[in-house]
Amino acid sequence: MHRLYKQFYLTIIASLALVVLFAGLLWRFAPYTSQAQRFEMVGELAVDLLPPASADEAAQQGAIDQLHRRFRVDLALFDSGLRPVARAGAPLPPPHRRTSGWVYGRGGPAWAIRLPDERWIVVRTPGGRPWHPVLGLIGFLGAIALAVAICAYPLVRRLTSRLERLQAGVEQLGAGDLGARVMVEGKDEVAMLAASFNRAAARIEDLVGSHKLLLANASHELRTPLSRVRLGVEFLKEQADPKRKADLERDIAELDALIDEILLSSRLDAVKGLDRREEIDLLALAAEEAARYDHCIVCGAPVTLHGDRALLRRMMRNLIENAGRHGVPPIEIRVGPEGSQAGVTVSDGGPGVAAGDRERVFTPFFRMPGSDRRSGAGLGLTLVRQIARQHGGDAQWVGTAERPSTVRVLLPRGQPTAS
């Protein structure tokens, strides 16, 4: 991942490095008339302190020795053919056949000055290797670059760290933590964005809380009239029409079950993890639930996992009831290990669903086109998927040509995790 603060930081460093490079190249290759003029002026003065070129070597050596003692510099005198004539101090490199300028040797750079009489004098200050002007400029600009880099890093890192905390808050909110908030730091655009995020998160939390409260209150209020209806049915048992009474009781039971499913679905949406975790034999659990129904066969191999027994029992019951209500007996339940997971497959002899409806059957209150309205539509398979995902697994419609009406649930066999 390309981190934003690294991009800012590397951009600044690269820019400063280019400044240093181009400044050094400009200093190295650009012509400087003022420097050439200085060399000519030094040459004019030096020729007056030296004997003429026609003087013998002893006189020229004496003059070089005198200048060496006076100015305490290394000196070397060369004739027009670049042959050494006299020197004092450390050895110096010979000049090149060009205008006055820098020459380089073992002892470091030195000045080579061409005299008006075509002789050359080379001068170097003793006591170490003197700095070349180009190296000095590069070092100076490099120091500026280092200072800017050191100062820029905390500023850039502070900005991007705030953005990273804001990103973490957004991801936390997206994962279902409606209480996620971020710290508002500073008074700039990032702080305004953090404040806007906190206001939006608070609004979402209030809306979701209001929705859950309304759902809970509605469910509670519905149970009261249901109790009164039950009481009325008991009084009418002796004189009411038996068929009408049976229909009424069935409707009441269906409404009561629907309210219970709504409450359970709401609770599963609200919680972040399982309330209880225990070791469960999934095959035994399936056999217990299958015993409550006719034409229900259980087969497979024992497999254990960690989870909420009540929720897994409800999942198994909803799978069997869905097959019994919308399918054709016999109902077959197959349980067994599938790699690192535990698999539960429930199938019946029904025609199944169309390929385009295989995901829709897990949505709340889905009803098959053309189905009998009295067959009911609720949250059966919706709760199956919710419970499976609460345990870290999932549920899918996996009908085949031989068994078109088949639902499979896969659950991890290790410690459960919240979805």
Side-chain angles (χ1 to χ4, degrees):
M1 179 185 296
H2 296 288
R3 306 302 291 272
L4 187 60
Y5 80 91
K6 289 183 179 179
Q7 296 183 34
F8 286 160
Y9 189 65
L10 292 178
T11 299
I12 294 174
I13 297 300
S15 301
L16 294 174
L18 288 176
V19 170
V20 172
L21 176 63
F22 284 114
L25 293 176
L26 181 64
W27 181 274
R28 178 68 179 83
F29 295 106
Y32 292 97
T33 305
S34 58
Q35 179 174 311
Q37 289 178 345
R38 287 196 295 269
F39 280 127
E40 292 179 2
M41 293 173 60
V42 173
E44 293 288 344
L45 295 175
V47 77
D48 293 336
L49 299 176
L50 295 174
S54 57
D56 57 17
E57 292 186 1
Q60 297 192 51
Q61 180 64 49
I64 291 297
D65 290 337
Q66 184 178 1
L67 291 174
H68 170 68
R69 288 191 299 270
R70 181 176 178 181
F71 296 106
R72 298 179 181 178
V73 294
D74 298 329
L75 291 170
L77 183 63
F78 298 85
D79 62 14
S80 58
L82 302 183
R83 291 183 297 272
V85 176
R87 73 176 181 87
L92 294 169
H96 303 290
R97 290 188 176 277
R98 58 178 185 177
T99 57
S100 301
W102 291 96
V103 292
Y104 304 93
R106 279 190 171 184
W111 285 355
I113 305 170
R114 188 172 186 177
L115 304 179
D117 58 5
E118 301 301 325
R119 286 182 297 173
W120 291 83
I121 186 171
V122 180
V123 184
R124 182 175 59 204
T125 56
R129 300 169 63 89
W131 283 95
H132 190 283
V134 175
L135 298 178
L137 175 63
I138 293 176
F140 175 75
L141 294 178
I144 295 178
L146 180 61
V148 172
I150 294 175
C151 295
Y153 180 82
L155 297 177
V156 175
R157 189 67 188 99
R158 179 176 178 272
L159 171 64
T160 54
S161 63
R162 293 159 62 198
L163 292 176
E164 289 171 356
R165 286 192 289 273
L166 182 59
Q167 178 193 8
V170 172
E171 292 177 350
Q172 191 177 357
L173 180 66
D177 183 5
L178 300 182
R181 301 293 185 271
V182 295
M183 184 183 299
V184 179
E185 304 173 75
K187 299 181 179 180
D188 53 13
E189 292 81 357
V190 178
M192 295 172 59
L193 182 60
S196 299
F197 169 80
N198 288 341
R199 288 193 297 269
R203 180 61 177 163
I204 292 172
E205 187 176 20
D206 290 341
L207 289 175
V208 173
S210 299
H211 170 71
K212 291 180 179 179
L213 182 62
L214 176 63
L215 184 62
N217 290 338
S219 301
H220 176 73
E221 293 298 328
L222 282 172
R223 288 189 182 276
T224 302
L226 280 173
S227 299
R228 295 197 189 105
V229 171
R230 281 198 183 95
L231 183 60
V233 169
E234 292 297 327
F235 284 125
L236 293 175
K237 277 184 178 180
E238 299 299 329
Q239 47 186 322
D241 178 55
K243 183 177 182 305
R244 184 176 183 84
K245 184 184 69 173
D247 290 342
L248 184 59
E249 289 178 342
R250 185 178 65 249
D251 290 340
I252 293 173
E254 183 178 342
L255 186 57
D256 189 49
L258 179 59
I259 293 173
D260 185 57
E261 288 180 344
I262 292 174
L263 288 172
L264 179 57
S265 178
S266 178
R267 184 171 69 86
L268 291 176
D269 283 337
V271 298
K272 300 178 183 178
L274 299 174
D275 295 335
R276 296 180 297 274
R277 300 181 181 183
E278 55 183 302
E279 190 174 276
I280 301 167
D281 186 341
L282 206 56
L283 181 62
L285 186 65
E288 291 175 8
E289 287 300 311
R292 303 172 63 247
Y293 301 89
D294 297 329
H295 310 292
C296 195
I297 305 170
V298 180
C299 59
V303 58
T304 59
L305 54 83
H306 290 82
D308 188 313
R309 181 180 296 275
L311 289 179
L312 291 176
R313 185 182 297 277
R314 183 57 179 268
M315 180 192 75
M316 197 74 67
R317 184 178 303 171
N318 281 18
L319 286 170
I320 299 173
E321 287 182 351
N322 179 79
R325 180 179 299 176
H326 303 288
V328 176
I331 301 171
E332 181 182 296
I333 306 172
R334 184 174 296 274
V335 180
E338 297 189 23
S340 61
Q341 296 178 307
V344 179
T345 303
V346 178
S347 61
D348 59 78
V353 298
D357 293 331
R358 290 191 170 188
E359 278 298 313
R360 296 178 59 197
V361 296
F362 293 99
T363 58
F365 304 105
F366 173 75
R367 189 186 300 275
M368 291 288 296
S371 62
D372 183 8
R373 296 189 62 85
R374 297 191 65 84
S375 64
L379 301 173
L381 291 183
T382 302
L383 286 174
V384 168
R385 174 169 280 184
Q386 283 183 293
I387 294 172
R389 289 181 174 177
Q390 196 74 14
H391 285 76
D394 204 353
Q396 292 181 325
W397 190 283
V398 291
T400 62
E402 295 77 14
R403 303 286 282 183
S405 182
T406 304
V407 178
R408 181 174 63 187
V409 177
L410 293 178
L411 301 170
R413 298 168 63 182
Q415 290 292 333
T417 57
S419 59

